[in-house]
Amino acid sequence: MSKYHTAAPVITIVGPSGSGKGTLSQLLAQNLNYHLLDSGALYRLVALSVSGKGIDPRAQDKVAAVAATLDVQFDASGDATCVRLEGQDVTTAIRSEEISRMASVVAAHPLVREALLQRQRDFRRAPGLVADGRDMGTVVFPDAQVKIFLTASAEARAQRRYKQLEQRGERVDMAQLVADIQARDQRDRERAVSPLKPAEDAIILDSTEMSIGQVLAAMLSHVTGSERDSAATNRSK
Ligand code: DC
């Protein structure tokens, strides 16, 4: 954490779905005035593009070719980031259940991950970057200044999901929700390509008993601590 860096600082946020990492990455980036990389959106965009071209998401070579030439733009000038594919606003389209399923298929191809690597690294610009996604601290930015693994118990995550669904007028069985989350956690941890696990030097934050504000404050204090370490190291050089 206290290495000497000349490149723009990077903070990586990794965590299972329902841990709040999307919301907190956004809040952290806003607070620090940093850029934001939502790497999951890139996999979703590949899925959407492949689907539009009628390509089988399991055809690794064809999907990788699409990933390598993807024409995307992230416009962060408004309140929420607007995502464009070939000029079209696809912010909502990439969040559908079908695209979520396809994204997890295309994300399992090593050639697709390789094709997106440099594109993700290009997000690293001054004054800094908050990078959200499972391989951010291990593969894409192994030299990140602060690596955070955000987690919460399966029950707490199920509770949050339940509330979201309830607001949308959907009724689901709580026990089933917990069982689904536990099954997904196991699949995510055990998958061969970029499994969901904390980097060796990650700080683990368990948000089960914390509010969003408390988690944000904890993250900011780690970032400030790392900046202090870094300044001290530079002075002693
Ligand atoms: O975080 P998300 O649900 O938007 O991610 C979409 C899919 O992409 C999901 O299956 C996880 C995968 N993903 C990945 O493999 N590596 C990343 N860095 C980010 C997301």
Side-chain angles (χ1 to χ4, degrees):
M1 270 213 313
S2 56
K3 280 178 234 146
Y4 179 62
H5 285 272
T6 47
V10 180
I11 300 162
T12 60
I13 318 257
V14 176
S17 96
S19 61
K21 75 183 162 69
T23 307
L24 278 149
S25 298
Q26 222 163 19
L27 285 172
L28 191 62
Q30 276 166 6
N31 250 270
L32 296 166
N33 220 2
Y34 277 15
H35 300 282
L36 174 67
L37 165 61
D38 171 2
S39 59
L42 283 175
Y43 291 98
R44 288 170 180 274
L45 283 157
V46 172
L48 187 67
S49 182
V50 159
S51 149
K53 292 180 196 308
I55 294 170
D56 182 343
R58 292 166 301 181
Q60 169 160 220
D61 287 350
K62 287 185 185 162
V63 180
V66 169
T69 54
L70 206 61
D71 171 14
V72 299
Q73 284 169 312
F74 289 87
D75 178 2
S77 56
D79 275 352
T81 304
C82 171
V83 186
R84 289 202 184 85
L85 178 64
E86 287 162 12
Q88 280 207 334
D89 183 347
V90 294
T91 317
T92 313
I94 58 167
R95 303 286 157 197
S96 76
E97 275 305 304
E98 191 202 341
I99 295 302
S100 300
R101 267 194 306 275
M102 273 180 76
S104 79
V105 177
V106 304
H109 297 314
L111 290 179
V112 173
R113 306 195 74 83
E114 209 179 293
L116 293 180
L117 194 57
Q118 192 53 48
R119 197 184 282 265
Q120 294 176 91
R121 290 188 174 148
D122 290 343
F123 277 77
R124 184 178 203 163
R125 290 189 305 266
L129 176 70
V130 174
D132 165 355
R134 62 188 57 198
D135 58 345
M136 295 297 105
T138 48
V139 178
V140 183
F141 302 109
D143 63 336
Q145 279 73 2
V146 179
K147 299 180 185 179
I148 295 170
F149 188 85
L150 185 62
T151 188
S153 70
E155 289 73 16
R157 287 183 284 136
Q159 192 78 47
R160 292 171 191 167
R161 181 89 185 120
Y162 186 87
K163 278 195 191 142
Q164 272 177 355
L165 293 170
E166 206 177 30
Q167 276 164 5
R168 283 200 233 148
E170 291 178 44
R171 284 219 151 266
V172 281
D173 178 46
M174 188 65 187
Q176 185 61 49
L177 218 48
V178 175
D180 285 350
I181 285 181
Q182 283 169 336
R184 195 189 311 164
D185 281 356
Q186 191 171 357
R187 259 201 321 271
D188 270 352
R189 273 195 305 263
E190 292 172 359
R191 81 176 206 196
V193 182
S194 290
L196 178 65
K197 60 165 196 228
E200 270 176 26
D201 47 352
I203 296 151
I204 304 200
L205 270 181
D206 186 333
S207 72
T208 306
E209 306 282 343
M210 291 164 92
S211 67
I212 289 183
Q214 286 171 324
V215 180
L216 179 63
M219 286 182 171
L220 286 168
S221 96
H222 284 297
V223 174
T224 318
S226 145
E227 280 167 356
R228 250 196 324 265
D229 286 355
S230 177
T233 310
N234 292 347
R235 270 197 305 276
S236 66
K237 274 180 188 257

